[in-house]
Amino acid sequence: MPVEREIFGHLPDGTAIERVTLRRDGGLTARIISYGAALQALLVADSAGAIDDIVLGFDALEPYTRPGCYFGMTVGRYANRIAGGRFVIDGAQVSLACNNGPNALHGGINGFSRKAWRIVSAEDGPVPSLTLTCRSRDGEEGYPGTVETRLSYSLPTPYELLLEITATSDRATVVNLTNHSFFNLDGTTAGDILQHRLQIAADHFLAVDETAIPLQEPPRDVTGTPFDFRQPHPIGARIRHPDEQLRRGRGYDHNYCLAPADGLPTDALPTDDLPADDLRLAARVEAPHSGRIMELHTNQPGLQLYSGNFLDGSVAGKHGRLHRQADAFCLEPQIWPDAPNRPDFPSARLTPGMIYRHRTLYRFTA
């Protein structure tokens, strides 16, 4: 059967956490756990046909529940950072839990990544899919409004993983959700990702201060900087340049302002199964060793590039492997960081009657 369900573990209060496996014959296998609606594993063939897992994670539930763990998680109510854990909406001051120095990060101490999501359906039809929901109550982590979120993972073709998220609120609030998978296209037991060739459809990025909050300036042009990935470059080719922004992030940890049009040119496989509406190609990554290629298509205005700068060997992942700096990269489609405090940024405001929509497609070839 294309869809399998099993108990992955239990939370301290006895709540059962399930793992659901989605498969396409001759193609991808995706495993998702209901804790944090996390992508726990993604099995993809390389250029020789060998199958390997390409996302960091754990073989058991307990490590996912530790503070600061975001491997594969769905993060929110606000992905990325909000300066000072404060913003104003409709004249009212909102104060959030600060869990990243002076700032709020990824929804706070008990954000969406810390929730046991409810499985609504696990479909084993022509397009295997999993749908989960969660509720964030008014005042949770300081955010106004009760937010109802619905998320689905599906395999529309043997080579594609589609993530779709919708959310509604009964009060004016802010919402910004994303998946926080750590990728290594050579496999989770391979070396670092510094030779992975990355291309991003963005002319500008957001420069940040020492606490990773965007500076009070317009987006910076990438031209002539180590942040220019408009043409493919190895992630590590310029990561040691004496650039103040690389120093502040200990590498890449910056939001790219995505091009509003069609993005990068592509020779990818045609897809008739998907509506040709709001998805555009934002990034492409190629691993020279395995030959795996990942394209990321999204409807979001920003893409956070993170080069695994704070992986320090203190965490043992699958198969007991210790993950160290640059063992993986993240590409997180999202609204820009600190947008609730920046009227010049794309808005994260969600009001009653509106629907927040996030769509991201991962396409794999070799």
Side-chain angles (χ1 to χ4, degrees):
M1 299 292 289
V3 173
E4 297 176 2
R5 297 176 65 165
E6 60 186 325
I7 299 299
F8 189 65
H10 293 83
L11 297 177
D13 66 1
T15 300
I17 299 300
E18 287 192 70
R19 179 169 65 177
V20 178
T21 300
L22 307 179
R23 289 191 179 91
R24 285 291 297 251
D25 288 343
L28 305 178
T29 295
R31 296 191 175 109
I32 300 102
I33 60 172
S34 55
Y35 185 78
L39 182 62
Q40 188 261 338
L42 184 60
L43 279 63
V44 182
D46 68 8
S47 56
I51 306 295
D52 207 345
D53 188 1
I54 63 165
V55 294
L56 270 55
F58 304 102
D59 295 316
L61 174 61
E62 190 275 331
Y64 282 102
T65 68
R66 297 173 186 170
C69 173
Y70 299 112
F71 285 179
M73 296 290 200
T74 299
V75 293
R77 176 179 311 191
Y78 199 92
N80 216 312
R81 296 167 177 86
I82 296 179
R86 299 186 304 273
F87 65 93
V88 174
I89 188 166
D90 294 341
Q93 176 77 49
V94 175
S95 295
L96 310 173
C98 291
N99 61 325
N100 185 242
N103 306 316
L105 175 68
H106 293 331
I109 298 168
N110 292 301
F112 284 23
S113 60
R114 318 293 294 174
K115 289 181 174 292
W117 290 57
R118 184 173 69 89
I119 295 177
V120 175
S121 65
E123 302 290 341
D124 59 358
V127 177
S129 66
L130 170 67
T131 301
L132 309 99
T133 62
C134 80
R135 169 179 289 179
S136 175
R137 298 188 181 278
D138 182 40
E140 187 173 282
E141 293 294 303
Y143 290 94
T146 295
V147 170
E148 304 282 355
T149 302
R150 185 180 185 92
L151 178 152
S152 71
Y153 290 94
S154 64
L155 303 178
T157 77
Y159 314 100
E160 296 172 329
L161 173 66
L162 178 63
L163 172 65
E164 298 178 285
I165 312 172
T166 60
T168 59
S169 178
D170 61 359
R171 288 180 57 193
T173 190
V174 296
V175 169
N176 178 30
L177 308 177
T178 196
N179 178 269
H180 203 309
S181 286
F182 287 68
F183 293 96
N184 186 322
L185 299 186
D186 286 332
T188 57
T189 59
D192 62 49
I193 48 79
L194 295 178
Q195 296 305 311
H196 283 41
R197 294 178 62 81
L198 170 65
Q199 190 175 12
I200 300 177
D203 297 328
H204 296 84
F205 76 103
L206 297 181
V208 297
D209 66 16
E210 295 284 358
T211 69
I213 293 296
L215 298 174
Q216 294 293 322
E217 63 177 49
R220 287 190 186 178
D221 192 330
V222 299
T223 303
T225 77
F227 292 84
D228 189 350
F229 285 97
R230 290 174 295 184
Q231 297 299 319
H233 283 281
I235 293 174
R238 299 164 295 181
I239 203 169
R240 301 188 189 280
H241 279 209
D243 183 280
E244 179 68 7
Q245 286 299 305
L246 291 176
R247 185 192 66 77
R248 288 181 176 178
R250 300 189 185 181
Y252 296 103
D253 192 6
H254 295 75
N255 176 80
Y256 281 78
C257 310
L258 293 178
D262 294 333
L264 302 172
T266 178
D267 55 1
L269 298 173
T271 301
D272 297 327
D273 304 69
L274 292 175
D277 49 4
D278 57 351
L279 288 173
R280 64 194 185 282
L281 182 58
R284 184 180 188 273
V285 189
E286 180 177 351
H289 177 70
S290 65
R292 291 186 183 92
I293 298 169
M294 181 179 82
E295 293 179 355
L296 188 152
H297 303 242
T298 188
N299 67 349
Q300 296 299 290
L303 184 70
Q304 186 84 5
L305 168 62
Y306 175 58
S307 51
N309 316 324
F310 293 92
L311 298 174
D312 60 4
S314 62
V315 174
K318 300 167 191 170
H319 314 295
R321 181 177 174 84
L322 296 178
H323 294 305
R324 299 192 179 276
Q325 190 176 55
D327 272 359
F329 68 90
C330 300
L331 289 172
E332 304 158 61
Q334 57 191 265
I335 299 170
W336 300 0
D338 202 32
N341 291 309
R342 296 292 298 269
D344 53 328
F345 285 4
S347 176
R349 180 183 174 92
L350 181 66
T351 57
M354 295 176 60
I355 300 177
Y356 166 88
R357 299 184 189 275
H358 175 129
R359 301 178 73 237
T360 294
L361 177 77
Y362 305 91
R363 178 178 291 150
F364 297 92
T365 54

